Amino acid sequence: MTDTKSFGSSSPDMKFNFSIKTLAVTSVLSLGLLSPIHADDDETPLAEEMDVLSGSLKRLRKAETAAEKVELVHAAQKATIKSLQYSPMVFKDIKDEKEKAKATADYKRLIGLTYAKLCELEMAYLAGDEDKADEIKGELKDLKKDGHEKYTD
């Protein structure tokens, strides 16, 4: 037979209460050990727009008609334009205002190039030129890589 007594108690109910209290106190105390919470890239408005952009481009593989592809490109274009109102999280670490201005201009340049490529992609789909569309998608991947190397943690 197992002993159901807990620390200084003769009641099984006390064991349960003690366990809940211990869990609660331990949980509260452990919060102090955590590092401060900063918004991850996944939680920022910019990241949300980039997710829409990326998701739209990924869904192009399954789209069957030119109209479906153009609709996905439009969603990507809209997210690209909306992303201009946000700055990458790494900008908060740039203390020198001149450097921050240069980084901001370059970020906007990359977003502008992305938008232009998306317009070219739309034109390729409208023309039925899948080879050209594939070429442009490769160029978009290169832009993404460049932007992520510069502006993500």
Side-chain angles (χ1 to χ4, degrees):
M1 182 176 208
T2 60
D3 183 46
T4 59
K5 293 180 184 177
S6 65
F7 185 72
S9 169
S10 60
S11 162
D13 291 334
M14 282 301 290
K15 182 176 183 181
F16 178 76
N17 288 338
F18 179 78
S19 297
I20 295 296
K21 286 179 188 175
T22 302
L23 178 63
V25 169
T26 305
S27 296
V28 169
L29 291 176
S30 68
L31 289 176
L33 301 175
L34 298 175
S35 38
I37 298 173
H38 296 289
D40 288 340
D41 289 336
D42 296 351
E43 299 170 359
T44 65
L46 175 58
E48 290 174 14
E49 296 305 330
M50 292 293 113
D51 286 346
V52 171
L53 169 59
S54 181
S56 296
L57 293 176
K58 286 177 183 174
R59 287 194 307 276
L60 285 172
R61 289 180 238 152
K62 294 182 180 179
E64 295 181 11
T65 67
E68 290 172 328
K69 293 173 184 178
V70 167
E71 185 177 326
L72 289 167
V73 171
H74 286 167
Q77 289 168 336
K78 182 178 178 184
T80 302
I81 294 296
K82 285 178 73 176
S83 71
L84 279 171
Q85 63 186 315
Y86 308 112
S87 295
M89 290 291 293
V90 297
F91 284 20
K92 70 178 170 37
D93 297 328
I94 302 173
K95 303 299 180 208
D96 182 88
E97 290 303 316
K98 189 173 182 179
E99 288 303 312
K100 189 179 281 192
K102 286 180 184 178
T104 300
D106 186 56
Y107 165 72
K108 290 190 286 188
R109 177 188 68 84
L110 288 171
I111 294 296
L113 290 171
T114 300
Y115 186 79
K117 286 295 171 191
L118 288 168
C119 292
E120 290 179 30
L121 184 60
E122 177 183 8
M123 292 168 52
Y125 285 134
L126 290 170
D129 191 343
E130 290 292 329
D131 290 336
K132 183 67 174 173
D134 289 341
E135 177 185 321
I136 295 166
K137 286 189 285 185
E139 293 169 2
L140 283 164
K141 285 180 186 177
D142 291 342
L143 283 169
K144 177 182 177 179
K145 182 179 177 184
D146 187 23
H148 284 196
E149 285 175 357
K150 291 180 179 180
Y151 302 119
T152 58
D153 290 333

